[in-house]
Amino acid sequence: MNKEKVGRFYDVVWTEYIPEYPETEKHWELFYSEKEVKSKWVLDAGCGTGIFSIIFANKGAGQVTGIDISEGSLNTARKLSKKFGLKNTRFEKQDMLALPYESEFFDIVWAWGTVHHTTDPLRAVNELIRVLKKEGSLLLAVYTRTKLTFIHEIIRKTLVRTPRWSWKSLCKILAFFLAPVVFLFKRREKSRKGETLEELIMDWYFVPIRHYYKPEEIKNHLGKKGFIIENFLAASGRFNSTSNFIYKARKK
Ligand SMILES: C[S@@+](CC[C@H](N)C(=O)[O-])C[C@H]1O[C@@H](n2cnc3c(N)ncnc32)[C@H](O)[C@@H]1O
């Protein structure tokens, strides 16, 4: 499984999708304030269509670098930044497993929903740690491993093997059958305005790479790397769902 495959997937699934600003901003505010980010250099690792980069830039960060392997998403992020009239953002096609930046370059590294889509999430975390300055903060939102994870994985691993041309139709069919439980997604829909159930199914079950962790595993990893946990949300995130847990940690 290579990163080109993941990049192509996100070109299709995310290029058109920009999460709603006010809802996303509320979640950003759970972790950062304008005071904390003022004039700071920020890396938004796996920025997608750039909503968090835009928020950091609007909140007064000195420079925000959004990186992603999906060119389609990056183009949308560039357009969005232009729409906001921002001068302190730049978007680059980079792989977070091998970043071209010097060590201890950024004050803040933000990776929301991204390391678990790489071939080696802990290596990605280590690379993010490398480019983070001492005293800098790292934010990670990672998929939670639960008792039901293996069921989701059986479904995903079956569906990703189907021909690509059939994916949209399969999503429509699945959405039809899952419609009775759609109310479960109501809250999520609030913050992912514009994303249909079909798109949600595509994002969840057709993504080429998806890893899951228990919060303790990430906590232990960060501890070994000399981080102090400053904030932990067990089940929240932008979508107010139990699928992600979030750590904000500071490099000693
Ligand atoms: C679920 S999206 C999250 C986007 C964004 N962080 C957000 O929350 O709006 C995951 C993103 O990670 C990116 N990604 C996956 N593997 C990557 C890698 N190795 N290097 C950089 N970006 C990667 C994907 O292309 C995709 O845009």
Side-chain angles (χ1 to χ4, degrees), residues 78-91:
R78 287 181 192 113
K79 279 187 211 147
L80 193 63
S81 178
K82 207 167 167 192
K83 205 170 123 192
F84 276 89
L86 295 166
K87 298 269 183 285
N88 52 345
T89 58
R90 56 180 195 172
F91 294 96

Side-chain angles (χ1 to χ4, degrees), residues 6 10 14 19 46-48 51-52 67-70 73 94-96 112-114 117-118 238:
V6 179
Y10 280 103
W14 270 60
C47 62
I51 193 75
F52 285 117
I67 62 122
D68 206 285
I69 47 168
S70 156
S73 302
Q94 302 290 356
D95 179 1
M96 73 176 94
W112 190 284
T114 63
H117 291 307
T118 68
R238 187 175 37 184

Side-chain angles (χ1 to χ4, degrees), residues 38-243:
K38 194 164 170 39
S39 307
K40 294 284 163 51
W41 282 52
V42 179
L43 175 68
D44 183 5
C47 62
T49 46
I51 193 75
F52 285 117
S53 301
I54 303 296
I55 292 172
F56 271 107
N58 273 335
K59 299 283 185 185
Q63 169 84 257
V64 185
T65 305
I67 62 122
D68 206 285
I69 47 168
S70 156
E71 195 58 62
S73 302
L74 287 166
N75 282 336
T76 306
R78 287 181 192 113
K79 279 187 211 147
L80 193 63
S81 178
K82 207 167 167 192
K83 205 170 123 192
F84 276 89
L86 295 166
K87 298 269 183 285
N88 52 345
T89 58
R90 56 180 195 172
F91 294 96
E92 297 176 2
K93 190 170 181 183
Q94 302 290 356
D95 179 1
M96 73 176 94
L97 289 166
L99 293 169
Y101 314 114
E102 283 170 27
S103 296
E104 301 185 9
F105 191 74
F106 296 99
D107 301 292
I108 295 170
V109 175
W110 173 279
W112 190 284
T114 63
V115 294
H116 49 223
H117 291 307
T118 68
T119 48
D120 190 343
L122 293 184
R123 206 181 114 206
V125 171
N126 291 347
E127 183 62 349
L128 300 180
I129 289 173
R130 181 186 69 75
V131 298
L132 180 66
K133 284 182 190 166
K134 287 202 180 83
E135 310 290 322
S137 62
L138 170 69
L139 185 128
L140 295 172
V142 181
Y143 282 137
T144 315
R145 189 175 336 118
T146 68
K147 285 184 184 137
L148 295 179
T149 297
F150 81 97
I151 298 174
H152 291 301
E153 278 302 276
I154 290 171
I155 299 171
R156 187 186 68 80
K157 284 180 179 165
T158 307
L159 289 173
V160 288
R161 284 186 172 82
T162 57
R164 210 182 161 83
W165 55 260
S166 67
W167 286 7
K168 283 201 171 150
S169 309
L170 282 172
C171 286
K172 277 200 178 117
I173 295 164
L174 286 167
F176 177 79
F177 286 108
L178 287 173
V181 289
V182 78
F183 70 93
L184 288 175
F185 296 101
K186 280 286 180 232
R187 274 196 281 172
R188 183 180 168 113
E189 275 172 11
K190 229 173 99 192
S191 54
R192 297 197 80 171
K193 212 175 172 189
E195 190 188 48
T196 63
L197 182 59
E198 286 152 54
E199 286 164 339
L200 176 63
I201 290 167
M202 178 78 90
D203 196 22
W204 190 263
Y205 286 128
F206 290 81
V207 65
I209 302 177
R210 204 178 158 103
H211 296 272
Y212 304 78
Y213 288 88
K214 293 233 185 253
E216 302 77 51
E217 293 174 89
I218 297 297
K219 187 182 172 188
N220 291 343
H221 189 75
L222 292 173
K224 277 186 208 146
K225 293 281 170 188
F227 276 74
I228 294 167
I229 306 294
E230 286 192 345
N231 199 348
F232 170 65
L233 286 189
S236 169
R238 187 175 37 184
F239 314 135
N240 209 13
S241 88
T242 51
S243 62

